[in-house]
Amino acid sequence: LSNGAICSIGTTDKEVTINEKNGAPTVDKEVLEDSTNTYGKGNDADVGDTVTFRATIKVTDGDPKNYVLHDKMSNGLTFKEDSIAVKVNDTTPITNYTVKYTNTDKCTFEISFPNGTLHTNDKVVVTYSATINSNAVVGTAGNENETWLKYGNNGETTHGKTKTYTWSFNIFKYFTDSNNDMRYLANVEFVLYRKNADDKAEYAKFDSNNNNNKLTGWTETKDDATRLTTNATSTVTVEGLDEGTYFLKEITTPDGFNGLTSDVEVQIDSSCNTLNGATYMVQYKMVNEEGFTDTDDEEKVVPIENKRGTTLPGTGGIGTTIFYVVGGGLMVAAAILLITKKRM
């Protein structure tokens, strides 16, 4: 053949596989979504979480030489240098490659495969990890990771990309004034927590120097959690969160206002297996309520009211017992007084 293509035809086979020997190699880039254990073009996670990437090289040229895989991470991702693993054709781990972290070709790192390591029609799978750091972009813009392959004399593949997302929501603590207007309520303290696989609470720690309270980690001790404090002029933002269910526990309530009788449950749902058009939704309710309420699409505000006055004792509490005792005593006293008057 004039173009040098080679194929093998077995005349007795019902199906014939033709392997391309002159095509350009390709790179497919994906990221792991932990909640579903599947790879795709996008995922979401907490700030501080480790995410796993996968680059798949298909060697389709007849003379694979000078293969160098490049990877460029955005500022919100910190590459883990000890995380690289390479397999050929799904089964064989190889270590015959070199990694360059500095003085790279405008990328975070690059992997060079010596000539003779890879062969035509090989499938090379490279996995590696990064941590979502405090510079992570919050919201639907996402944090990009880009991969491409340089090969031969001056060949370069199309760049493959993924995005990793992390989310936020706003908390509006308020009271209703005498004109029935909603007003910001200052000096309420609360903590955010989630429940782990063992149904134990893990409390959020935030960067106190960040006005938007970006997540820095989790603790099993409530006293070590960051106390979020409301003000009289704006909502309180928490950011750097994965999709999932969270709870707001009120710790301190200003004098003259009633504390919450239960925690507030906040649920984040997302659709983010995409490079463009990722979305997320925030819903909320009191823990003792049945249905969730959606926040507005843009502001993602969770409104929580504290009422003025005195809260009556809750059902089943010591206050109820006192009511029963005092009420019963008054009934007995009234009966005695009525009998006494009748006798008189």
Side-chain angles (χ1 to χ4, degrees), residues 284-300:
Y284 64 92
K285 71 180 182 71
M286 301 298 288
V287 168
N288 57 5
E289 292 178 349
E290 290 294 329
F292 282 93
T293 301
D294 296 343
T295 64
D296 52 284
D297 288 339
E298 295 297 326
E299 298 299 327
K300 303 292 193 297

Side-chain angles (χ1 to χ4, degrees), residues 230-292:
T230 63
N231 61 73
T233 59
S234 64
T235 59
V236 176
T237 301
V238 290
E239 61 181 30
L241 299 173
D242 193 359
E243 72 168 347
T245 301
Y246 302 90
F247 302 88
L248 293 166
K249 178 181 288 294
E250 191 168 296
I251 303 298
T252 303
T253 309
D255 292 341
F257 292 90
N258 298 325
L260 299 184
T261 57
S262 69
D263 297 341
V264 180
E265 185 174 347
V266 181
Q267 184 171 300
I268 301 176
D269 295 303
S270 66
S271 176
C272 61
N273 185 10
T274 179
L275 293 174
N276 299 293
T279 60
Y280 78 107
M281 178 175 65
V282 177
Q283 298 176 298
Y284 64 92
K285 71 180 182 71
M286 301 298 288
V287 168
N288 57 5
E289 292 178 349
E290 290 294 329
F292 282 93

Side-chain angles (χ1 to χ4, degrees), residues 59-80:
V59 184
T60 54
D61 62 285
D63 187 21
K65 290 183 178 179
N66 304 327
Y67 270 44
V68 182
L69 183 71
H70 295 258
D71 192 273
K72 184 178 182 180
M73 297 186 179
S74 61
N75 290 334
L77 299 170
T78 301
F79 175 55
K80 300 184 74 170

